[in-house]
Amino acid sequence: MSRLLEPLTLRGTTFAHRAWVSPMCQYSCDPETAPGVPNDWHLVHLGSFAVGGAALVVTEAAAVVPEGRITPHDAGLWNEEQAAAWSRVVDFLHAQGAAAGVQLAHAGRKASTHRPWSPVQGSVAPAEGGWGTVGPSALAHGDLAVPTALDEAGLRRVVEAFAAAARRADEAGFDVVELHAAHGYLLHQFLSPLSNHRTDAYGGDLAGRSRLLLEVLDAVRAVWPQDKPVFVRLSTSDWVEGGWDVEDSIELARWLAERGADLVDASSGGNAPEQRIPVGPGYQVPNAGRVRREAGVPVAAVGLILEPAQAEQVLVSGEADAVFLGRPLLTDPRWPQRAALALHDVRAVAWPPQYVRATREDVPLVQPRG
């Protein structure tokens, strides 16, 4: 068996193999009639990956409060209507043999923006359906609106909102929650000295800047079932001199593991418009490997991991325990099944009976979950 197609167990959850679906924002909810509520688009989009054999399908960022959305069209998990809609998606993923994860997020100062394909970019004004944003400090991200620095009461509300969303995620049947502390969103904004200029207990040194994320993790872990894993997505570098870096990420990963996090999803960037990222195949893998080796925690690598042989090498070389796939799955939702064929282990991946003829073998469907 290839390393890519080996099972992986974290707490009480076993993933059939190590090719997982990365969170990918769709900006496809209806902000007028059903704000934050996933719909048929999300069912088909996410369901296609489970049909294609993914072992874990993680949703796009689900905002824990309305003002935590990146755009007015974002998905959420701040109310029961949203949880019920997500439950429909989770049930379909489970029926195909996939585990289901949800990424819990707050966009902070990068909230209330137009969708990427909108002819107008930048912040959405309140008169046009937008809202005021918050952050660790009153520092704007590029040309976006200046946020309001969160006070102590606001910080408590953020922590409580993440915990409440985690409870709803459990009720909806999710197997994994991932805390989004990357890509320049609120928890990352607190981590980075580029965006956090606070002088109170939530700023200053690494421990202070990490405090909000650790409090969120504690609150989520307290309500999330002990047999279900919690992931944390980190930007392992701001790609800016003087910003958050891989050494910070290694130390934080140790603290996260001590507080009950089970895996670091190692991404990078997103917090500073002046970032200079050396983009190329597997460009984030070296940082993932350093976090895994030096912090001694399970890690998933992500970022232009394009082909099965490349993914296999990432795992065999010890750089990661699993790989998250994004854009390659948008062009080929059957990527995991293609990997199973290429690596000569078709039985390691779920195949719906309707598609078994593609394997040229009599391959049973992986046992559905729950």
Side-chain angles (χ1 to χ4, degrees), residues 20-42:
W20 299 346
V21 180
S22 184
M24 291 179 279
C25 287
Q26 297 298 290
Y27 313 107
S28 295
C29 297
D30 187 331
E32 300 298 328
T33 63
V37 178
N39 51 45
D40 287 350
W41 174 265
H42 300 85

Side-chain angles (χ1 to χ4, degrees), residues 61-230:
V64 298
V65 289
E67 62 272 23
R69 291 171 291 169
I70 305 166
T71 79
H73 296 82
D74 281 23
L77 196 46
W78 68 78
N79 65 36
E80 299 308 316
E81 181 184 6
Q82 295 157 355
W86 281 123
S87 180
R88 175 182 177 228
V89 175
V90 170
D91 288 347
F92 185 83
L93 300 180
H94 284 168
Q96 309 311 309
V102 60
Q103 185 184 67
L104 303 181
H106 190 307
R109 67 177 185 168
K110 292 177 72 175
S112 189
T113 63
H114 291 278
R115 291 190 285 188
W117 57 82
S118 170
V120 179
Q121 290 298 293
S123 296
V124 179
E128 299 171 347
W131 54 88
T133 60
V134 297
S137 304
L139 298 171
H141 179 88
D143 295 332
L144 298 182
V146 176
T148 299
L150 282 163
D151 60 15
E152 186 174 336
L155 291 168
R156 285 198 303 272
R157 287 194 295 270
V158 167
V159 173
E160 291 166 357
F162 272 93
R167 288 192 199 94
R168 295 187 189 97
D170 182 45
E171 293 167 1
F174 283 104
D175 307 292
V176 175
V177 292
E178 175 172 275
L179 306 181
H180 197 354
H183 301 170
Y185 299 121
L186 183 65
L187 298 179
H188 182 189
Q189 291 161 25
F190 270 84
L191 294 175
S192 174
L194 300 179
S195 45
N196 184 345
H197 291 188
R198 300 175 75 98
T199 57
D200 64 2
Y202 292 88
D205 62 8
L206 179 63
R209 288 181 279 112
S210 302
R211 181 175 177 179
L212 179 61
L213 172 56
L214 295 176
E215 288 184 355
V216 167
L217 174 58
D218 286 346
V220 167
R221 191 73 268 182
V223 301
W224 186 245
Q226 287 301 304
D227 62 340
K228 292 184 179 183
V230 173

